[in-house]
PDB file of all heavy atoms in Angstrom:
ATOM      1  N   THR P  66      22.446 -15.339   1.676  1.00 97.00           N
ATOM      2  CA  THR P  66      22.640 -16.470   0.775  1.00 97.00           C
ATOM      3  C   THR P  66      24.123 -16.729   0.548  1.00 97.00           C
ATOM      4  O   THR P  66      24.912 -15.788   0.471  1.00 97.00           O
ATOM      5  CB  THR P  66      21.925 -16.251  -0.575  1.00 97.00           C
ATOM      6  OG1 THR P  66      22.094 -17.418  -1.388  1.00 97.00           O
ATOM      7  CG2 THR P  66      22.440 -15.024  -1.311  1.00 97.00           C
ATOM      8  N   THR P  67      24.460 -18.003   0.462  1.00 97.00           N
ATOM      9  CA  THR P  67      25.822 -18.396   0.097  1.00 97.00           C
ATOM     10  C   THR P  67      25.865 -18.923  -1.334  1.00 97.00           C
ATOM     11  O   THR P  67      26.929 -19.245  -1.841  1.00 97.00           O
ATOM     12  CB  THR P  67      26.354 -19.486   1.056  1.00 97.00           C
ATOM     13  OG1 THR P  67      25.459 -20.588   1.044  1.00 97.00           O
ATOM     14  CG2 THR P  67      26.503 -18.933   2.470  1.00 97.00           C
ATOM     15  N   VAL P  68      24.686 -19.022  -1.951  1.00 97.00           N
ATOM     16  CA  VAL P  68      24.590 -19.455  -3.352  1.00 97.00           C
ATOM     17  C   VAL P  68      23.707 -18.458  -4.109  1.00 97.00           C
ATOM     18  O   VAL P  68      22.582 -18.768  -4.482  1.00 97.00           O
ATOM     19  CB  VAL P  68      24.051 -20.905  -3.474  1.00 97.00           C
ATOM     20  CG1 VAL P  68      25.096 -21.916  -3.047  1.00 97.00           C
ATOM     21  CG2 VAL P  68      22.787 -21.086  -2.661  1.00 97.00           C
ATOM     22  N   PRO P  69      24.227 -17.246  -4.322  1.00 97.00           N
ATOM     23  CA  PRO P  69      23.408 -16.215  -4.962  1.00 97.00           C
ATOM     24  C   PRO P  69      23.089 -16.563  -6.410  1.00 97.00           C
ATOM     25  O   PRO P  69      23.852 -17.251  -7.077  1.00 97.00           O
ATOM     26  CB  PRO P  69      24.306 -14.974  -4.886  1.00 97.00           C
ATOM     27  CG  PRO P  69      25.692 -15.519  -4.858  1.00 97.00           C
ATOM     28  CD  PRO P  69      25.593 -16.809  -4.084  1.00 97.00           C
ATOM     29  N   SER P  70      21.951 -16.070  -6.859  1.00 97.00           N
ATOM     30  CA  SER P  70      21.515 -16.290  -8.238  1.00 97.00           C
ATOM     31  C   SER P  70      21.531 -14.948  -8.970  1.00 97.00           C
ATOM     32  O   SER P  70      20.607 -14.144  -8.833  1.00 97.00           O
ATOM     33  CB  SER P  70      20.108 -16.893  -8.233  1.00 97.00           C
ATOM     34  OG  SER P  70      19.630 -17.041  -9.553  1.00 97.00           O
ATOM     35  N   TYR P  71      22.603 -14.726  -9.723  1.00 98.00           N
ATOM     36  CA  TYR P  71      22.743 -13.497 -10.507  1.00 98.00           C
ATOM     37  C   TYR P  71      22.290 -13.745 -11.932  1.00 98.00           C
ATOM     38  O   TYR P  71      22.432 -14.855 -12.458  1.00 98.00           O
ATOM     39  CB  TYR P  71      24.197 -13.026 -10.515  1.00 98.00           C
ATOM     40  CG  TYR P  71      24.673 -12.446  -9.198  1.00 98.00           C
ATOM     41  CD1 TYR P  71      25.387 -13.223  -8.295  1.00 98.00           C
ATOM     42  CD2 TYR P  71      24.414 -11.127  -8.863  1.00 98.00           C
ATOM     43  CE1 TYR P  71      25.824 -12.704  -7.090  1.00 98.00           C
ATOM     44  CE2 TYR P  71      24.842 -10.593  -7.656  1.00 98.00           C
ATOM     45  CZ  TYR P  71      25.547 -11.387  -6.775  1.00 98.00           C
ATOM     46  OH  TYR P  71      25.971 -10.862  -5.585  1.00 98.00           O
ATOM     47  N   SER P  72      21.784 -12.683 -12.564  1.00 97.00           N
ATOM     48  CA  SER P  72      21.452 -12.778 -13.980  1.00 97.00           C
ATOM     49  C   SER P  72      22.754 -12.958 -14.772  1.00 97.00           C
ATOM     50  O   SER P  72      23.846 -12.664 -14.275  1.00 97.00           O
ATOM     51  CB  SER P  72      20.709 -11.526 -14.447  1.00 97.00           C
ATOM     52  OG  SER P  72      21.494 -10.366 -14.243  1.00 97.00           O
ATOM     53  N   LYS P  75      24.871 -10.081 -14.851  1.00 96.00           N
ATOM     54  CA  LYS P  75      25.211  -9.607 -13.494  1.00 96.00           C
ATOM     55  C   LYS P  75      24.551  -8.274 -13.121  1.00 96.00           C
ATOM     56  O   LYS P  75      25.049  -7.549 -12.281  1.00 96.00           O
ATOM     57  CB  LYS P  75      26.730  -9.476 -13.324  1.00 96.00           C
ATOM     58  CG  LYS P  75      27.493 -10.756 -13.483  1.00 96.00           C
ATOM     59  CD  LYS P  75      27.451 -11.560 -12.228  1.00 96.00           C
ATOM     60  CE  LYS P  75      28.412 -12.738 -12.348  1.00 96.00           C
ATOM     61  NZ  LYS P  75      28.309 -13.674 -11.309  1.00 96.00           N
ATOM     62  N   ILE P  78      20.256  -9.665  -8.967  1.00 98.00           N
ATOM     63  CA  ILE P  78      20.344 -10.843  -8.116  1.00 98.00           C
ATOM     64  C   ILE P  78      18.901 -11.252  -7.829  1.00 98.00           C
ATOM     65  O   ILE P  78      18.035 -10.393  -7.629  1.00 98.00           O
ATOM     66  CB  ILE P  78      21.135 -10.581  -6.807  1.00 98.00           C
ATOM     67  CG1 ILE P  78      21.292 -11.880  -6.006  1.00 98.00           C
ATOM     68  CG2 ILE P  78      20.521  -9.464  -5.987  1.00 98.00           C
ATOM     69  CD1 ILE P  78      22.243 -11.767  -4.814  1.00 98.00           C
ATOM     70  N   SER P  79      18.648 -12.541  -7.853  1.00 98.00           N
ATOM     71  CA  SER P  79      17.285 -13.041  -7.650  1.00 98.00           C
ATOM     72  C   SER P  79      17.205 -13.816  -6.347  1.00 98.00           C
ATOM     73  O   SER P  79      18.159 -14.484  -5.942  1.00 98.00           O
ATOM     74  CB  SER P  79      16.884 -13.960  -8.806  1.00 98.00           C
ATOM     75  OG  SER P  79      16.881 -13.242 -10.022  1.00 98.00           O
ATOM     76  N   TYR P  80      16.031 -13.715  -5.724  1.00 97.00           N
ATOM     77  CA  TYR P  80      15.796 -14.452  -4.488  1.00 97.00           C
ATOM     78  C   TYR P  80      14.336 -14.872  -4.465  1.00 97.00           C
ATOM     79  O   TYR P  80      13.451 -14.069  -4.780  1.00 97.00           O
ATOM     80  CB  TYR P  80      16.132 -13.593  -3.259  1.00 97.00           C
ATOM     81  CG  TYR P  80      16.298 -14.401  -2.006  1.00 97.00           C
ATOM     82  CD1 TYR P  80      17.542 -14.882  -1.628  1.00 97.00           C
ATOM     83  CD2 TYR P  80      15.198 -14.721  -1.211  1.00 97.00           C
ATOM     84  CE1 TYR P  80      17.702 -15.656  -0.479  1.00 97.00           C
ATOM     85  CE2 TYR P  80      15.353 -15.498  -0.069  1.00 97.00           C
ATOM     86  CZ  TYR P  80      16.606 -15.954   0.287  1.00 97.00           C
ATOM     87  OH  TYR P  80      16.745 -16.727   1.417  1.00 97.00           O
ATOM     88  N   VAL P 101      18.990  -8.564   0.510  1.00 98.00           N
ATOM     89  CA  VAL P 101      19.659  -9.851   0.344  1.00 98.00           C
ATOM     90  C   VAL P 101      21.157  -9.643   0.483  1.00 98.00           C
ATOM     91  O   VAL P 101      21.746  -8.818  -0.222  1.00 98.00           O
ATOM     92  CB  VAL P 101      19.328 -10.475  -1.031  1.00 98.00           C
ATOM     93  CG1 VAL P 101      20.116 -11.774  -1.238  1.00 98.00           C
ATOM     94  CG2 VAL P 101      17.832 -10.731  -1.157  1.00 98.00           C
ATOM     95  N   VAL P 102      21.761 -10.398   1.399  1.00 98.00           N
ATOM     96  CA  VAL P 102      23.205 -10.339   1.635  1.00 98.00           C
ATOM     97  C   VAL P 102      23.865 -11.489   0.889  1.00 98.00           C
ATOM     98  O   VAL P 102      23.522 -12.655   1.103  1.00 98.00           O
ATOM     99  CB  VAL P 102      23.545 -10.456   3.139  1.00 98.00           C
ATOM    100  CG1 VAL P 102      25.046 -10.320   3.364  1.00 98.00           C
ATOM    101  CG2 VAL P 102      22.778  -9.439   3.960  1.00 98.00           C
ATOM    102  N   ASP P 103      24.814 -11.162   0.021  1.00 98.00           N
ATOM    103  CA  ASP P 103      25.585 -12.178  -0.700  1.00 98.00           C
ATOM    104  C   ASP P 103      26.805 -12.532   0.147  1.00 98.00           C
ATOM    105  O   ASP P 103      27.771 -11.779   0.227  1.00 98.00           O
ATOM    106  CB  ASP P 103      26.014 -11.650  -2.068  1.00 98.00           C
ATOM    107  CG  ASP P 103      26.859 -12.650  -2.850  1.00 98.00           C
ATOM    108  OD1 ASP P 103      27.215 -13.707  -2.293  1.00 98.00           O
ATOM    109  OD2 ASP P 103      27.185 -12.358  -4.014  1.00 98.00           O
ATOM    110  N   LEU P 104      26.740 -13.694   0.788  1.00 97.00           N
ATOM    111  CA  LEU P 104      27.820 -14.174   1.652  1.00 97.00           C
ATOM    112  C   LEU P 104      28.767 -15.132   0.921  1.00 97.00           C
ATOM    113  O   LEU P 104      29.688 -15.683   1.525  1.00 97.00           O
ATOM    114  CB  LEU P 104      27.231 -14.901   2.866  1.00 97.00           C
ATOM    115  CG  LEU P 104      26.368 -14.069   3.805  1.00 97.00           C
ATOM    116  CD1 LEU P 104      25.511 -14.965   4.686  1.00 97.00           C
ATOM    117  CD2 LEU P 104      27.230 -13.155   4.646  1.00 97.00           C
ATOM    118  N   SER P 105      28.578 -15.313  -0.381  1.00 96.00           N
ATOM    119  CA  SER P 105      29.262 -16.386  -1.103  1.00 96.00           C
ATOM    120  C   SER P 105      30.777 -16.256  -1.145  1.00 96.00           C
ATOM    121  O   SER P 105      31.479 -17.260  -1.103  1.00 96.00           O
ATOM    122  CB  SER P 105      28.721 -16.502  -2.531  1.00 96.00           C
ATOM    123  OG  SER P 105      28.982 -15.318  -3.264  1.00 96.00           O
ATOM    124  N   GLU P 106      31.291 -15.046  -1.239  1.00 92.00           N
ATOM    125  CA  GLU P 106      32.740 -14.895  -1.398  1.00 92.00           C
ATOM    126  C   GLU P 106      33.438 -14.318  -0.171  1.00 92.00           C
ATOM    127  O   GLU P 106      34.667 -14.393  -0.088  1.00 92.00           O
ATOM    128  CB  GLU P 106      33.036 -14.017  -2.620  1.00 92.00           C
ATOM    129  CG  GLU P 106      32.618 -14.678  -3.921  1.00 92.00           C
ATOM    130  CD  GLU P 106      32.938 -13.838  -5.132  1.00 92.00           C
ATOM    131  OE1 GLU P 106      33.786 -12.923  -5.038  1.00 92.00           O
ATOM    132  OE2 GLU P 106      32.337 -14.098  -6.183  1.00 92.00           O
ATOM    133  N   TYR P 117      21.951  -6.096  -1.209  1.00 98.00           N
ATOM    134  CA  TYR P 117      21.098  -5.505  -2.237  1.00 98.00           C
ATOM    135  C   TYR P 117      19.699  -5.323  -1.660  1.00 98.00           C
ATOM    136  O   TYR P 117      19.207  -6.192  -0.951  1.00 98.00           O
ATOM    137  CB  TYR P 117      21.048  -6.405  -3.465  1.00 98.00           C
ATOM    138  CG  TYR P 117      22.420  -6.754  -3.989  1.00 98.00           C
ATOM    139  CD1 TYR P 117      22.996  -7.988  -3.711  1.00 98.00           C
ATOM    140  CD2 TYR P 117      23.145  -5.839  -4.742  1.00 98.00           C
ATOM    141  CE1 TYR P 117      24.267  -8.310  -4.175  1.00 98.00           C
ATOM    142  CE2 TYR P 117      24.420  -6.156  -5.212  1.00 98.00           C
ATOM    143  CZ  TYR P 117      24.969  -7.388  -4.925  1.00 98.00           C
ATOM    144  OH  TYR P 117      26.227  -7.690  -5.381  1.00 98.00           O
TER     145      TYR P 117
END
Side-chain angles (χ1 to χ4, degrees):
T66 183
T67 56
V68 287
S70 176
Y71 288 98
S72 59
K75 298 279 189 189
I78 185 171
S79 298
Y80 197 91
V101 176
V102 183
D103 178 354
L104 297 162
S105 63
E106 294 182 19
Y117 306 101

